[in-house]
Amino acid sequence: MDIHKFLTPPWETAQRHGPHDRIVMSSRVRLARNLKDAAFPGWAKKPERIRIFDLVRPAVESLPEMKDAFSEAMDNLSALDKQILVERHLISREHAARSTGSGLVMSRDELFCVMINEEDHLRMQALRPGLQLRQAWSAIDLLDSELEQKLPYAFSNELGYLTACPTNLGTGIRVSAMLHLPGLVLAEQINPIIQSVNKLGLAVRGLYGEGTEALGNVFQVSNQMTLGENELTIVERLDKVLSQIIEHEENARQTLMEKKPKVVYNHIGRAFGILANAHSISSKETMNLLSLMRLGVDLGLFPGMERALVDELFILTQPAHLQRSLSDKLSPEERDLVRADMMRDRLKNVSRPMVKRLEPPTGLDKSAN
Protein backbone atom coordinates (compact mmCIF):
# COMPACT_ATOMS: atom_id res chain seq x y z
CA MET A 1 0.00 0.00 0.00
CA ASP A 2 1.36 3.44 -0.97
CA ILE A 3 1.46 5.60 2.15
CA HIS A 4 1.30 8.78 0.06
CA LYS A 5 -2.00 7.77 -1.52
CA PHE A 6 -3.35 7.21 1.97
CA LEU A 7 -2.13 10.23 3.95
CA THR A 8 -4.36 13.28 4.16
CA PRO A 9 -2.94 16.13 2.03
CA PRO A 10 -1.16 18.78 4.15
CA TRP A 11 -3.61 21.52 3.18
CA GLU A 12 -6.50 19.36 4.42
CA THR A 13 -4.67 18.46 7.63
CA ALA A 14 -4.12 22.16 8.27
CA GLN A 15 -7.90 22.76 8.05
CA ARG A 16 -8.67 20.59 11.08
CA HIS A 17 -9.97 22.60 14.01
CA GLY A 18 -10.56 21.98 17.69
CA PRO A 19 -11.09 23.85 20.97
CA HIS A 20 -8.33 26.38 21.77
CA ASP A 21 -6.44 25.48 18.59
CA ARG A 22 -4.81 28.91 18.51
CA ILE A 23 -2.57 27.52 21.23
CA VAL A 24 -3.24 23.76 21.49
CA MET A 25 -2.30 22.31 18.12
CA SER A 26 -3.22 18.71 18.99
CA SER A 27 -4.11 16.31 21.80
CA ARG A 28 -2.84 12.74 22.08
CA VAL A 29 -3.51 9.80 24.38
CA ARG A 30 -1.24 6.79 23.99
CA LEU A 31 -1.46 3.37 25.64
CA ALA A 32 1.38 0.86 25.96
CA ARG A 33 0.44 -2.82 25.99
CA ASN A 34 2.31 -6.13 25.78
CA LEU A 35 1.31 -9.75 25.30
CA LYS A 36 1.75 -12.19 28.16
CA ASP A 37 4.35 -14.95 27.94
CA ALA A 38 6.28 -13.05 25.25
CA ALA A 39 9.57 -11.16 25.43
CA PHE A 40 9.45 -7.37 25.13
CA PRO A 41 10.48 -6.20 21.62
CA GLY A 42 13.86 -4.96 22.80
CA TRP A 43 14.71 -8.41 24.17
CA ALA A 44 12.98 -10.58 21.58
CA LYS A 45 14.91 -12.21 18.78
CA LYS A 46 13.87 -11.67 15.18
CA PRO A 47 11.65 -14.79 14.84
CA GLU A 48 9.79 -13.85 18.04
CA ARG A 49 9.20 -10.27 16.86
CA ILE A 50 7.85 -11.58 13.55
CA ARG A 51 5.57 -14.02 15.39
CA ILE A 52 4.16 -11.23 17.58
CA PHE A 53 3.69 -8.96 14.56
CA ASP A 54 1.82 -11.66 12.67
CA LEU A 55 -0.41 -12.19 15.71
CA VAL A 56 -1.10 -8.53 16.52
CA ARG A 57 -1.50 -7.04 13.05
CA PRO A 58 -4.68 -8.90 11.97
CA ALA A 59 -6.24 -8.32 15.40
CA VAL A 60 -5.75 -4.56 15.03
CA GLU A 61 -6.92 -4.57 11.41
CA SER A 62 -10.17 -6.28 12.45
CA LEU A 63 -11.24 -3.42 14.74
CA PRO A 64 -14.22 -1.31 13.53
CA GLU A 65 -12.11 1.85 13.89
CA MET A 66 -9.57 0.39 11.46
CA LYS A 67 -11.87 -0.22 8.52
CA ASP A 68 -9.95 0.66 5.31
CA ALA A 69 -6.87 1.35 7.45
CA PHE A 70 -3.30 1.69 6.25
CA SER A 71 -1.38 -1.39 7.40
CA GLU A 72 2.24 -2.11 6.61
CA ALA A 73 5.43 -3.69 7.94
CA MET A 74 8.16 -1.16 8.71
CA ASP A 75 10.68 -2.88 6.47
CA ASN A 76 8.36 -2.23 3.51
CA LEU A 77 8.50 1.53 4.13
CA SER A 78 11.37 3.63 2.83
CA ALA A 79 13.43 5.84 5.13
CA LEU A 80 11.72 8.85 3.55
CA ASP A 81 8.25 7.39 4.18
CA LYS A 82 9.11 6.81 7.83
CA GLN A 83 10.47 10.32 8.26
CA ILE A 84 7.29 11.79 6.75
CA LEU A 85 5.25 9.86 9.32
CA VAL A 86 7.50 11.27 12.06
CA GLU A 87 7.06 14.81 10.72
CA ARG A 88 3.29 14.28 10.82
CA HIS A 89 3.64 13.06 14.45
CA LEU A 90 1.96 9.78 13.50
CA ILE A 91 4.83 7.56 14.64
CA SER A 92 7.76 8.04 17.01
CA ARG A 93 11.36 8.57 15.94
CA GLU A 94 12.14 5.27 17.66
CA HIS A 95 9.58 3.40 15.58
CA ALA A 96 10.95 4.94 12.40
CA ALA A 97 14.23 3.15 13.19
CA ARG A 98 12.49 -0.26 13.35
CA SER A 99 12.50 -2.77 10.52
CA THR A 100 11.70 -6.49 10.40
CA GLY A 101 9.04 -7.59 12.87
CA SER A 102 7.61 -4.10 13.41
CA GLY A 103 4.70 -2.39 11.70
CA LEU A 104 1.99 0.21 11.65
CA VAL A 105 -1.80 0.22 11.40
CA MET A 106 -3.41 3.65 10.95
CA SER A 107 -7.07 4.56 10.57
CA ARG A 108 -8.34 6.21 7.42
CA ASP A 109 -8.98 9.52 9.23
CA GLU A 110 -5.53 9.37 10.93
CA LEU A 111 -7.18 9.75 14.34
CA PHE A 112 -5.93 6.31 15.45
CA CYS A 113 -2.46 4.90 14.97
CA VAL A 114 -1.10 1.62 16.34
CA MET A 115 2.64 0.96 16.33
CA ILE A 116 3.47 -2.75 16.59
CA ASN A 117 6.74 -3.80 18.22
CA GLU A 118 8.05 -0.36 19.05
CA GLU A 119 9.35 -0.36 22.65
CA ASP A 120 6.26 -2.39 23.58
CA HIS A 121 4.29 -4.91 21.52
CA LEU A 122 1.57 -2.30 21.14
CA ARG A 123 1.75 1.48 21.22
CA MET A 124 -1.76 2.64 20.33
CA GLN A 125 -2.70 6.30 20.18
CA ALA A 126 -5.68 8.54 19.56
CA LEU A 127 -5.09 11.99 18.07
CA ARG A 128 -7.44 14.97 18.07
CA PRO A 129 -7.03 18.60 16.94
CA GLY A 130 -7.08 21.28 19.63
CA LEU A 131 -7.65 20.58 23.32
CA GLN A 132 -9.60 17.31 23.32
CA LEU A 133 -7.87 15.09 25.86
CA ARG A 134 -11.08 13.62 27.25
CA GLN A 135 -12.36 12.80 23.76
CA ALA A 136 -9.02 11.21 22.82
CA TRP A 137 -9.04 9.16 26.03
CA SER A 138 -12.60 7.90 25.47
CA ALA A 139 -11.71 6.89 21.92
CA ILE A 140 -8.52 5.00 22.76
CA ASP A 141 -10.12 3.40 25.83
CA LEU A 142 -12.82 1.89 23.61
CA LEU A 143 -10.28 0.67 21.04
CA ASP A 144 -8.14 -0.83 23.82
CA SER A 145 -11.11 -2.68 25.32
CA GLU A 146 -12.00 -4.12 21.91
CA LEU A 147 -8.43 -5.24 21.33
CA GLU A 148 -8.15 -6.80 24.78
CA GLN A 149 -10.93 -9.20 23.74
CA LYS A 150 -8.70 -10.43 20.92
CA LEU A 151 -5.21 -10.46 22.45
CA PRO A 152 -3.85 -11.79 25.79
CA TYR A 153 -2.40 -8.72 27.51
CA ALA A 154 0.42 -8.96 30.06
CA PHE A 155 -1.27 -7.78 33.26
CA SER A 156 -0.50 -8.01 36.96
CA ASN A 157 -3.17 -7.58 39.63
CA GLU A 158 -0.55 -5.82 41.74
CA LEU A 159 1.24 -3.70 39.15
CA GLY A 160 -1.27 -3.28 36.34
CA TYR A 161 -0.24 -3.46 32.67
CA LEU A 162 3.36 -4.62 32.26
CA THR A 163 5.56 -2.47 30.04
CA ALA A 164 9.13 -2.44 28.80
CA CYS A 165 9.90 0.85 30.55
CA PRO A 166 9.08 1.12 34.27
CA THR A 167 7.76 4.69 33.82
CA ASN A 168 4.86 3.27 31.77
CA LEU A 169 4.00 0.55 34.27
CA GLY A 170 0.44 0.45 35.64
CA THR A 171 -1.99 2.18 33.32
CA GLY A 172 0.51 2.39 30.46
CA ILE A 173 -0.99 5.78 29.55
CA ARG A 174 0.81 8.80 28.16
CA VAL A 175 -1.38 11.89 27.79
CA SER A 176 0.08 14.84 25.91
CA ALA A 177 -0.71 18.03 24.05
CA MET A 178 1.29 20.04 21.54
CA LEU A 179 1.27 23.73 22.43
CA HIS A 180 2.25 26.82 20.44
CA LEU A 181 3.62 29.29 23.01
CA PRO A 182 5.30 32.24 21.24
CA GLY A 183 3.85 34.78 23.69
CA LEU A 184 5.48 33.16 26.70
CA VAL A 185 8.76 32.81 24.79
CA LEU A 186 8.81 36.47 23.68
CA ALA A 187 7.85 37.61 27.18
CA GLU A 188 10.68 35.46 28.58
CA GLN A 189 8.22 33.65 30.83
CA ILE A 190 8.54 30.18 29.33
CA ASN A 191 11.24 28.87 31.70
CA PRO A 192 9.27 29.62 34.90
CA ILE A 193 6.24 27.94 33.32
CA ILE A 194 8.27 24.85 32.43
CA GLN A 195 9.71 24.69 35.94
CA SER A 196 6.24 24.95 37.47
CA VAL A 197 4.90 22.22 35.19
CA ASN A 198 7.84 19.95 36.05
CA LYS A 199 7.14 20.39 39.77
CA LEU A 200 3.64 19.05 39.13
CA GLY A 201 5.12 15.80 37.86
CA LEU A 202 4.62 16.61 34.18
CA ALA A 203 7.18 16.65 31.39
CA VAL A 204 7.81 19.40 28.83
CA ARG A 205 9.56 18.33 25.64
CA GLY A 206 10.32 19.68 22.19
CA LEU A 207 8.54 19.31 18.88
CA TYR A 208 9.45 15.64 18.34
CA GLY A 209 9.38 14.52 21.96
CA GLU A 210 12.11 13.59 24.40
CA GLY A 211 15.54 15.01 23.63
CA THR A 212 14.36 17.45 20.94
CA GLU A 213 14.21 21.24 20.97
CA ALA A 214 11.09 23.38 20.84
CA LEU A 215 11.27 24.36 17.17
CA GLY A 216 8.66 26.91 16.17
CA ASN A 217 7.93 27.65 19.85
CA VAL A 218 6.07 24.32 19.97
CA PHE A 219 6.21 22.38 23.24
CA GLN A 220 4.81 18.98 24.21
CA VAL A 221 3.41 18.65 27.73
CA SER A 222 2.68 15.16 29.08
CA ASN A 223 2.33 13.09 32.25
CA GLN A 224 5.42 11.26 33.50
CA MET A 225 4.05 8.66 35.91
CA THR A 226 1.45 6.06 35.03
CA LEU A 227 1.37 4.03 38.24
CA GLY A 228 -0.84 4.79 41.25
CA GLU A 229 -3.50 6.89 39.50
CA ASN A 230 -6.32 5.82 37.21
CA GLU A 231 -6.43 7.00 33.61
CA LEU A 232 -9.22 9.55 33.97
CA THR A 233 -7.47 11.22 36.91
CA ILE A 234 -4.31 11.60 34.83
CA VAL A 235 -6.29 13.00 31.88
CA GLU A 236 -8.19 15.50 34.02
CA ARG A 237 -5.08 16.65 35.88
CA LEU A 238 -3.25 17.39 32.63
CA ASP A 239 -6.34 19.06 31.20
CA LYS A 240 -6.42 21.47 34.15
CA VAL A 241 -2.73 22.29 33.78
CA LEU A 242 -3.15 22.90 30.05
CA SER A 243 -6.04 25.28 30.72
CA GLN A 244 -3.73 27.27 32.99
CA ILE A 245 -0.95 27.33 30.38
CA ILE A 246 -3.46 28.54 27.77
CA GLU A 247 -4.45 31.37 30.10
CA HIS A 248 -0.81 32.31 30.70
CA GLU A 249 -0.12 32.34 26.95
CA GLU A 250 -3.18 34.49 26.22
CA ASN A 251 -2.18 36.91 29.01
CA ALA A 252 1.40 37.08 27.73
CA ARG A 253 0.18 37.98 24.24
CA GLN A 254 -2.15 40.65 25.57
CA THR A 255 0.51 42.16 27.84
CA LEU A 256 3.05 42.24 25.02
CA MET A 257 0.60 44.05 22.76
CA GLU A 258 -0.22 46.55 25.50
CA LYS A 259 3.28 47.24 26.79
CA LYS A 260 5.69 46.25 24.03
CA PRO A 261 3.78 46.38 20.74
CA LYS A 262 6.82 47.55 18.77
CA VAL A 263 8.74 44.48 19.93
CA VAL A 264 5.92 42.23 18.68
CA TYR A 265 5.59 44.10 15.38
CA ASN A 266 9.36 43.95 14.87
CA HIS A 267 9.54 40.18 15.39
CA ILE A 268 6.54 39.46 13.16
CA GLY A 269 7.53 41.98 10.47
CA ARG A 270 11.08 40.61 10.25
CA ALA A 271 9.75 37.04 10.12
CA PHE A 272 7.47 37.89 7.20
CA GLY A 273 10.21 39.84 5.44
CA ILE A 274 12.68 36.97 5.58
CA LEU A 275 10.18 34.24 4.63
CA ALA A 276 8.76 36.26 1.73
CA ASN A 277 12.15 37.27 0.32
CA ALA A 278 14.83 34.73 1.30
CA HIS A 279 16.54 32.66 -1.38
CA SER A 280 17.99 30.10 1.02
CA ILE A 281 16.55 29.12 4.38
CA SER A 282 16.96 26.17 6.75
CA SER A 283 14.17 24.05 8.18
CA LYS A 284 14.88 25.27 11.72
CA GLU A 285 14.79 28.96 10.80
CA THR A 286 11.66 28.46 8.71
CA MET A 287 9.76 26.87 11.59
CA ASN A 288 10.81 29.57 14.03
CA LEU A 289 9.76 32.33 11.63
CA LEU A 290 6.49 30.60 10.71
CA SER A 291 5.73 30.50 14.43
CA LEU A 292 5.91 34.30 14.52
CA MET A 293 3.71 34.57 11.44
CA ARG A 294 1.18 32.25 13.11
CA LEU A 295 1.21 34.60 16.10
CA GLY A 296 0.67 37.51 13.69
CA VAL A 297 -2.37 35.79 12.20
CA ASP A 298 -3.80 35.20 15.68
CA LEU A 299 -3.24 38.88 16.55
CA GLY A 300 -5.03 40.04 13.41
CA LEU A 301 -1.94 41.50 11.72
CA PHE A 302 -2.52 39.59 8.47
CA PRO A 303 -6.14 40.44 7.48
CA GLY A 304 -7.62 37.84 5.14
CA MET A 305 -4.89 35.28 5.80
CA GLU A 306 -5.96 32.03 7.43
CA ARG A 307 -3.88 30.24 10.05
CA ALA A 308 -4.27 27.09 7.94
CA LEU A 309 -1.75 28.46 5.41
CA VAL A 310 0.91 28.73 8.10
CA ASP A 311 0.05 25.29 9.50
CA GLU A 312 0.29 23.78 6.01
CA LEU A 313 3.71 25.37 5.50
CA PHE A 314 4.80 23.98 8.88
CA ILE A 315 4.31 20.55 7.30
CA LEU A 316 5.45 21.14 3.73
CA THR A 317 8.75 22.80 4.56
CA GLN A 318 10.07 20.01 6.78
CA PRO A 319 12.94 18.03 5.19
CA ALA A 320 11.18 14.77 4.28
CA HIS A 321 8.05 16.48 2.95
CA LEU A 322 10.19 18.85 0.90
CA GLN A 323 12.21 15.93 -0.44
CA ARG A 324 9.03 14.05 -1.30
CA SER A 325 7.70 16.98 -3.37
CA LEU A 326 10.64 16.54 -5.76
CA SER A 327 11.77 13.45 -7.60
CA ASP A 328 15.51 14.02 -7.18
CA LYS A 329 17.34 13.48 -3.93
CA LEU A 330 18.47 16.83 -2.56
CA SER A 331 21.37 17.78 -0.34
CA PRO A 332 20.58 19.93 2.74
CA GLU A 333 21.89 22.99 0.87
CA GLU A 334 19.65 22.27 -2.12
CA ARG A 335 16.67 21.78 0.19
CA ASP A 336 17.31 25.22 1.68
CA LEU A 337 17.09 26.73 -1.81
CA VAL A 338 13.91 24.85 -2.73
CA ARG A 339 12.34 25.69 0.64
CA ALA A 340 12.98 29.40 0.09
CA ASP A 341 11.49 29.20 -3.41
CA MET A 342 8.37 27.57 -1.97
CA MET A 343 8.01 30.21 0.74
CA ARG A 344 8.36 33.11 -1.69
CA ASP A 345 5.78 31.55 -3.99
CA ARG A 346 3.24 30.75 -1.27
CA LEU A 347 3.54 34.18 0.39
CA LYS A 348 3.63 36.31 -2.77
CA ASN A 349 -0.04 37.27 -2.40
CA VAL A 350 0.15 37.87 1.34
CA SER A 351 0.39 41.54 2.28
CA ARG A 352 2.92 42.63 4.84
CA PRO A 353 1.58 42.76 8.42
CA MET A 354 -0.70 45.68 9.20
CA VAL A 355 0.07 47.32 12.54
CA LYS A 356 -1.90 49.74 14.63
CA ARG A 357 -0.62 53.28 14.62
CA LEU A 358 1.02 53.98 17.94
CA GLU A 359 0.75 57.31 19.74
CA PRO A 360 4.14 58.98 20.35
CA PRO A 361 5.44 58.95 23.91
CA THR A 362 4.03 61.62 26.19
CA GLY A 363 5.97 64.86 26.06
CA LEU A 364 7.06 64.59 22.41
CA ASP A 365 5.86 67.02 19.78
CA LYS A 366 3.60 64.99 17.48
CA SER A 367 4.50 67.26 14.58
CA ALA A 368 8.24 66.78 15.04
CA ASN A 369 10.14 64.86 12.37
Side-chain angles (χ1 to χ4, degrees):
M1 185 182 295
D2 185 348
I3 185 66
H4 304 289
K5 292 180 180 179
F6 184 90
L7 286 174
T8 303
W11 65 267
E12 190 175 327
T13 298
Q15 296 286 343
R16 293 171 178 165
H17 296 292
H20 302 289
D21 58 7
R22 279 173 25 122
I23 296 171
V24 184
M25 302 177 78
S26 64
S27 299
R28 177 194 314 264
V29 177
R30 190 210 71 202
L31 296 177
R33 299 288 186 260
N34 288 281
L35 304 190
K36 67 179 182 180
D37 302 324
F40 294 133
W43 292 92
K45 297 188 181 299
K46 182 177 176 180
E48 175 70 355
R49 293 198 306 271
I50 293 174
R51 183 185 74 82
I52 294 297
F53 177 66
D54 290 341
L55 176 65
V56 170
R57 181 181 182 180
V60 176
E61 291 174 342
S62 69
L63 299 174
E65 295 87 348
M66 292 302 184
K67 182 180 179 181
D68 300 324
F70 174 83
S71 178
E72 192 58 87
M74 296 306 288
D75 49 1
N76 289 335
L77 295 174
S78 69
L80 184 64
D81 293 340
K82 295 175 184 178
Q83 185 57 32
I84 283 175
L85 290 168
V86 171
E87 291 178 355
R88 296 282 189 105
H89 302 281
L90 294 170
I91 66 171
S92 64
R93 293 180 303 156
E94 293 76 13
H95 201 52
R98 306 291 183 185
S99 57
T100 304
S102 295
L104 167 72
V105 183
M106 180 170 57
S107 66
R108 168 57 66 180
D109 55 13
E110 298 177 12
L111 297 181
F112 293 100
C113 186
V114 177
M115 292 175 279
I116 304 172
N117 279 337
E118 193 229 35
E119 184 179 56
D120 296 285
H121 294 142
L122 284 154
R123 284 286 180 95
M124 59 189 90
Q125 58 189 19
L127 299 160
R128 296 293 184 274
L131 182 58
Q132 298 193 72
L133 292 181
R134 290 183 178 88
Q135 292 86 340
W137 158 241
S138 296
I140 201 66
D141 182 36
L142 177 60
L143 184 142
D144 178 48
S145 297
E146 294 168 344
L147 198 54
E148 195 164 13
Q149 301 300 314
K150 301 173 181 291
L151 296 172
Y153 283 171
F155 183 83
S156 164
N157 290 329
E158 181 182 0
L159 299 174
Y161 291 102
L162 305 181
T163 55
C165 180
T167 60
N168 292 320
L169 192 64
T171 58
I173 192 172
R174 186 75 67 188
V175 185
S176 66
M178 192 176 299
L179 309 177
H180 184 228
L181 305 175
L184 289 170
V185 173
L186 289 178
E188 299 182 352
Q189 297 174 11
I190 191 64
N191 287 334
I193 292 294
I194 291 175
Q195 292 169 6
S196 297
V197 170
N198 288 337
K199 288 178 181 178
L200 294 173
L202 304 175
V204 181
R205 299 184 171 93
L207 182 63
Y208 293 111
E210 189 171 0
T212 64
E213 60 182 315
L215 294 174
N217 299 313
V218 176
F219 299 82
Q220 290 190 46
V221 180
S222 66
N223 66 300
Q224 293 198 80
M225 299 303 295
T226 65
L227 185 64
E229 291 183 310
N230 65 43
E231 295 91 341
L232 190 56
T233 298
I234 294 172
V235 170
E236 291 181 344
R237 185 156 58 90
L238 184 59
D239 193 74
K240 289 179 181 178
V241 172
L242 292 176
S243 296
Q244 293 174 343
I245 296 176
I246 291 170
E247 184 177 355
H248 284 302
E249 172 65 18
E250 294 284 15
N251 289 340
R253 295 183 184 190
Q254 182 177 349
T255 300
L256 283 168
M257 290 300 291
E258 291 174 353
K259 297 183 177 181
K260 297 181 178 180
K262 281 289 189 181
V263 171
V264 178
Y265 296 154
N266 184 56
H267 278 290
I268 295 172
R270 284 174 178 269
F272 173 75
I274 293 172
L275 291 172
N277 295 282
H279 285 263
S280 176
I281 190 166
S282 69
S283 175
K284 179 177 179 179
E285 184 179 13
T286 299
M287 296 195 74
N288 289 334
L289 296 177
L290 282 173
S291 166
L292 293 168
M293 278 199 67
R294 194 178 197 269
L295 175 62
V297 172
D298 290 342
L299 295 175
L301 304 186
F302 293 96
M305 179 182 175
E306 294 185 4
R307 191 190 315 124
L309 173 58
V310 180
D311 289 345
E312 181 189 4
L313 291 172
F314 258 122
I315 300 171
L316 289 175
T317 56
Q318 293 182 74
H321 279 80
L322 200 65
Q323 182 75 55
R324 168 66 187 172
S325 67
L326 300 159
S327 56
D328 297 328
K329 187 174 183 179
L330 303 177
S331 68
E333 293 77 15
E334 290 170 328
R335 282 201 301 268
D336 291 349
L337 299 176
V338 173
R339 183 180 293 109
D341 291 344
M342 175 189 291
M343 294 303 304
R344 293 200 316 277
D345 180 64
R346 295 299 301 273
L347 296 179
K348 64 184 179 183
N349 295 322
V350 176
S351 300
R352 66 182 185 180
M354 296 179 62
V355 301
K356 298 178 182 178
R357 184 175 178 179
L358 302 176
E359 293 296 325
T362 304
L364 293 181
D365 183 357
K366 295 183 181 181
S367 64
N369 292 328

